[in-house]
Amino acid sequence: MSGTKVLDLTHYIAGPYCTKILADFGAEVIKVEKPGSGDVARAMGPFPEDQPHPEKSGLFLYLNTNKKSITLNLKSATGVGILKSLVKQADILVENFSPRVMPSLGLDHGTLEEINPGLVMTSISNFGQTGPYRDYRATDLTIWGLSGILYEHGEPTREPLKMGANVSEYVAGLYGALTTISSLYYRDETGVGQHVDVSILEAFHTMQPTMTLVFSMAGFIRHRAGIHFPWGILPCQDGYIGFFLPTQTHWESLCALLEMPELREKPEYETPLMREERRDEITAIIVSWLRDKRMEDVFHAAQELRLPLTLVPNTKQTLEMKQLGDRGYFAGIDHPVAGKLTCPGAPFKLAETPWQAGRAPLLGEHNEEIYGGQLGYSEELLTKLGDEGVI
């Protein structure tokens, strides 16, 4: 994406992850931050030695690699005017404010389109730019709940259970990058920009389409099934093994892995339904067999039988995983304040235009480069704008 200029008015996770992808693949991403404090993610951990510092947030450092940072007060008329000057030079603008914010600043799509008809403006919000929920607040838990996905997770006799981490935010950020690049391609073909409206709720709902399809086809509401045979996570000597064995072929391969061919011949285990009725018996057999086995040994032995079991590594074991190491997945980053750290790398590889490993910017690090070099502001003007709290 070399030669593409992006104005990044994002914060927290979804928006910054979208622009991170653009920056890591070559776009010039100018992150516009609030003077003094910057992106709210700068105040969120993890921090080295658990000491909060605006330049050491692990979350911020990961989500803002390869970007340039400028500070700009968008609540001032002068700040809005400066942003409009930057819009004239931009190909893309990404923001993830609540839908009411950009219009309240005089920066709605219609206004920006008049300034730059070719601009691709991507707005990522909890529920999209329209609808009765558009201005509602939400967290990742809210999105899980309203998507219907939360209802299906957990044990049948317990309350629904949410997966950890802010998964919905990253899904929306990925969709934001995909649709932004698609819209840029359309702009390059036609000269016409457009407004991209990404709803975190709708983006996340696409992760579980079958619950909607099942209800559409049969009027059936799927309930929580819990974790038990033919799937589950069981302890072994040095950790855990996860398995999912829905087919007869999987069952036969499991019997071979356990070196218990006699299980295949037992009439009470003949069909998947019969095995599920005796799941406690079968689980006990597997647990007993796993007791003195190592995760790696079980995993590789299962793969030899084309049996898709998984080991369950901790973070250290994941960092040492040969598969990820051989592909150079993890990236080492050297930051002038935070120091050296290891981050996840690119989620895909491009043969001709590879991903770039770079660091996140310091707050306002590129003010002089952008305001002076691109807008032609003098040092005296920059000092004046700083004194007035504009930058």
Side-chain angles (χ1 to χ4, degrees):
M1 297 191 68
S2 178
T4 303
K5 183 174 291 187
V6 181
L7 284 178
D8 179 358
L9 275 64
T10 70
H11 58 282
Y12 192 44
I13 295 177
Y17 188 58
C18 168
T19 51
K20 168 188 171 64
I21 293 172
L22 305 181
D24 287 352
F25 283 93
E28 180 188 18
V29 176
I30 302 170
K31 186 174 181 69
V32 180
E33 300 192 70
K34 182 179 178 180
S37 56
D39 185 339
V40 294
R42 288 182 178 271
M44 299 178 177
F47 296 101
E49 300 179 356
D50 206 25
Q51 296 295 316
H53 188 290
E55 302 296 355
K56 296 183 179 181
S57 161
L59 181 67
F60 180 87
L61 293 174
Y62 170 66
L63 289 171
N64 294 280
T65 51
N66 290 306
K67 300 179 186 180
K68 298 177 179 180
S69 170
I70 61 172
T71 49
L72 185 63
N73 183 1
L74 294 178
K75 292 185 178 180
S76 70
T78 302
V80 170
I82 292 172
L83 186 76
K84 288 179 179 179
S85 297
L86 291 169
V87 166
K88 293 178 182 178
Q89 303 177 4
D91 300 292
I92 296 165
L93 183 148
V94 183
E95 58 91 12
N96 66 327
F97 295 116
S98 175
R100 61 182 171 76
V101 172
M102 292 293 279
S104 74
L105 297 173
L107 297 171
D108 56 280
H109 176 253
T111 298
L112 299 183
E113 185 180 34
E114 290 181 2
I115 297 171
N116 182 350
L119 182 72
V120 173
M121 178 177 177
T122 299
S123 297
I124 303 173
S125 61
N126 294 323
F127 303 107
Q129 299 296 299
T130 59
Y133 293 2
R134 64 164 233 159
D135 292 317
Y136 281 17
R137 289 181 172 273
T139 64
D140 189 57
L141 176 61
T142 313
I143 301 301
W144 272 77
L146 292 177
S147 70
I149 296 175
L150 183 61
Y151 183 82
E152 294 190 346
H153 280 243
E155 294 295 325
T157 58
R158 296 290 305 274
E159 64 278 1
L161 188 64
K162 176 188 172 295
M163 177 182 170
N166 296 288
V167 180
S168 66
E169 296 270 348
Y170 288 97
V171 170
L174 185 59
Y175 278 154
L178 172 64
T179 52
T180 298
I181 294 169
S182 298
S183 299
L184 185 65
Y185 178 81
Y186 178 80
R187 193 284 308 270
D188 290 345
E189 291 291 310
T190 66
V192 180
Q194 61 182 300
H195 191 192
V196 178
D197 176 5
V198 179
S199 159
I200 299 177
L201 174 62
E202 293 165 11
F204 189 58
H205 186 271
T206 66
M207 296 294 100
Q208 184 60 289
T210 54
M211 65 181 185
T212 303
L213 294 169
V214 166
F215 185 81
S216 176
M217 294 174 178
F220 175 71
I221 297 174
R222 295 196 312 201
H223 298 283
R224 292 180 293 286
I227 299 178
H228 53 74
F229 192 86
W231 58 85
I233 300 173
L234 297 176
C236 62
Q237 184 189 79
D238 60 344
Y240 295 90
I241 292 292
F243 59 90
F244 178 45
L245 312 168
T247 70
Q248 185 64 25
T249 299
H250 288 140
W251 168 247
E252 293 174 1
S253 295
L254 175 65
C255 294
L257 178 68
L258 300 178
E259 297 182 326
M260 297 180 185
E262 67 275 11
L263 296 180
R264 295 176 53 184
E265 309 304 323
K266 286 195 172 187
E268 62 267 36
Y269 297 160
E270 184 176 356
T271 68
L273 181 59
M274 295 169 71
R275 291 192 290 273
E276 187 167 347
E277 289 173 348
R278 291 164 175 79
R279 63 194 185 202
D280 291 343
E281 297 174 18
I282 296 173
T283 300
I285 292 170
I286 300 173
V287 168
S288 177
W289 182 83
L290 284 173
R291 189 171 292 120
D292 62 351
K293 305 295 191 299
R294 295 176 61 255
M295 284 193 300
E296 284 277 352
D297 296 336
V298 174
F299 173 67
H300 293 296
Q303 288 295 328
E304 289 293 324
L305 296 167
R306 310 298 294 166
L307 186 61
L309 303 189
T310 183
L311 44 80
V312 185
N314 58 32
T315 304
K316 181 176 183 295
Q317 291 164 333
T318 301
L319 286 166
E320 295 170 349
M321 190 179 297
K322 190 174 186 304
Q323 171 66 22
L324 298 176
D326 283 359
R327 285 177 57 81
Y329 168 66
F330 290 107
I333 295 174
D334 194 358
H335 189 271
V337 177
K340 295 182 178 181
L341 63 155
T342 300
C343 290
F348 44 80
K349 292 184 179 291
L350 301 179
E352 300 300 329
T353 52
W355 175 81
Q356 306 169 40
R359 67 168 177 87
L362 304 174
L363 180 61
E365 179 179 352
H366 300 90
N367 278 355
E368 185 174 342
E369 175 186 337
I370 302 303
Y371 293 134
Q374 297 190 15
L375 295 185
Y377 291 0
S378 65
E379 289 187 13
E380 291 77 16
L381 179 56
L382 290 179
T383 299
K384 179 174 181 293
L385 291 172
D387 292 341
E388 293 174 350
V390 176
I391 64 173

